[in-house]
Amino acid sequence: AGNTEKQWSLADFEIGRPLGKGKFGRVYLAREAKSKYIVALKVIFKEQIEKYKIHHQLRREMEIQTSLRHPNILRLFGWFHDNERIFLILEYAHGGELYGVLKQNGHLTEQQAATYIASLSQALAYCHGKCVIHRDIKPENLLLDHEGRLKIADFGWSVQSSNKRKTMCGTLDYLAPEMVENRDHDYAVDNWTLGILCYEFLYGNPPFEAESQKDTFKRILKIDLSFPLTPNVSEEAKNLISQLF
Ligand SMILES: Clc1cnc2c(Nc3ccc(N4CCOCC4)cc3)nc(-c3cccnc3)cn12
C-alpha cells in the first residue's frame, strides 16, 4: 500500500511575497495552484544545512511538527526538495507575528495576555502529553491566525524580519537556568518560558533582560525578578509569574 502522501513539487505552487527571512532561508506566501489554498512556504538551502550541520535537528523538528495536531500549533502539511533547497509547506498565519502586536502597543492588556498564555499552556500541555518538550517559544515564533488565535510556529529556527530585536538571534532571555547551565532539562523549562512570556506580554520586555549576555545569565540563575510600578499589573498576574519561576 504505497505512500498515500502526495509528492509535492515547486510546480504545484504560485509563489507570493516574502514574509520574512531567516539564517537558513526565507518564508514566502504561496498558493497551491489547483486548490488555490494559501500556505506559507519555508525555503531552507541545503548548503546551509551542510554548513551548520543541522540535518538531525531539521529532520527531528519536521517529524515532530508533522505529528503535532493542535489549534495553537502551526501545521506542517508536508515538504519537498530540489537540488539545492528543502521546502516546508506550512499553514499560513494571516494575522502575522504576535511580536508585532506586542511592539505596536508596548505591552498587552491582561485580557489579551491571559488569552495568549492560556492558548500557549494548552499547546504546551498537548506537546508534553506527546513527550515533546522545549519548543523554542519566544514572541518571534508566535504567529496569529485570521481570528487572532495564537499559533506556535517554531522549527527551532526563528525568522528574522526587519522589525525584530537585533539581539534576537541567540537571545538567552527565554532560557531556564537548567538550559543556561546546559544541564538536562524536562518539561519544567517550558513552564519557565511561560513565565517569561507572561511578564513580557504585560510589561513589554522579558524580566531578565540585561546589557550583556553574561548579565542576562546571572539574572536568570539568580531569578532576579522585579516588577516595575508601571504599567499597573494585578497582584494575581504577578503571583502567577512568580509561581512559574
Ligand atoms: Cl511560517 C508562517 C506562516 N505564516 C506566516 C506569516 N504570516 C504573516 C501574515 C501577515 C503579515 N502581515 C504583515 C503586516 O501587515 C499585515 C499582514 C505578516 C506575516 N509570517 C511569517 C513571518 C513573519 C515575519 C518574519 N518571518 C516570517 C511566517 N509565517
Side-chain angles (χ1 to χ4, degrees), residues 6-15 30-36 41 80-82 85 87 89:
K6 168 163 174 54
Q7 301 306 319
W8 295 108
S9 84
L10 200 46
D12 294 317
F13 297 92
E14 291 148 4
I15 308 298
R31 186 169 67 179
E32 200 278 317
K34 289 195 193 60
S35 62
K36 302 294 175 213
L41 209 55
F80 56 93
H81 64 102
D82 63 14
R85 294 163 295 187
F87 299 85
I89 309 165

Side-chain angles (χ1 to χ4, degrees), residues 33 85 139 155 160 167 170 177 203 212 226 235 237:
R85 294 163 295 187
F155 293 97
Q160 317 267 336
T167 60
Y203 291 102
S212 71
S226 60
E235 286 313 307

Side-chain angles (χ1 to χ4, degrees), residues 60-77:
R60 179 167 44 80
E61 294 289 352
M62 286 164 66
E63 278 158 8
I64 290 174
Q65 201 73 24
T66 311
S67 71
L68 297 179
R69 295 277 193 286
H70 187 276
N72 297 114
I73 296 176
L74 199 79
R75 283 291 310 282
L76 170 59
F77 296 124

Side-chain angles (χ1 to χ4, degrees), residues 17 19-20 27 40 74 90-94 96-97 143 159 161:
R17 71 180 179 88
L19 294 169
V27 186
L74 199 79
L90 292 158
E91 174 185 356
Y92 175 58
H94 295 72
E97 299 169 288
L143 297 170
V159 279
S161 71

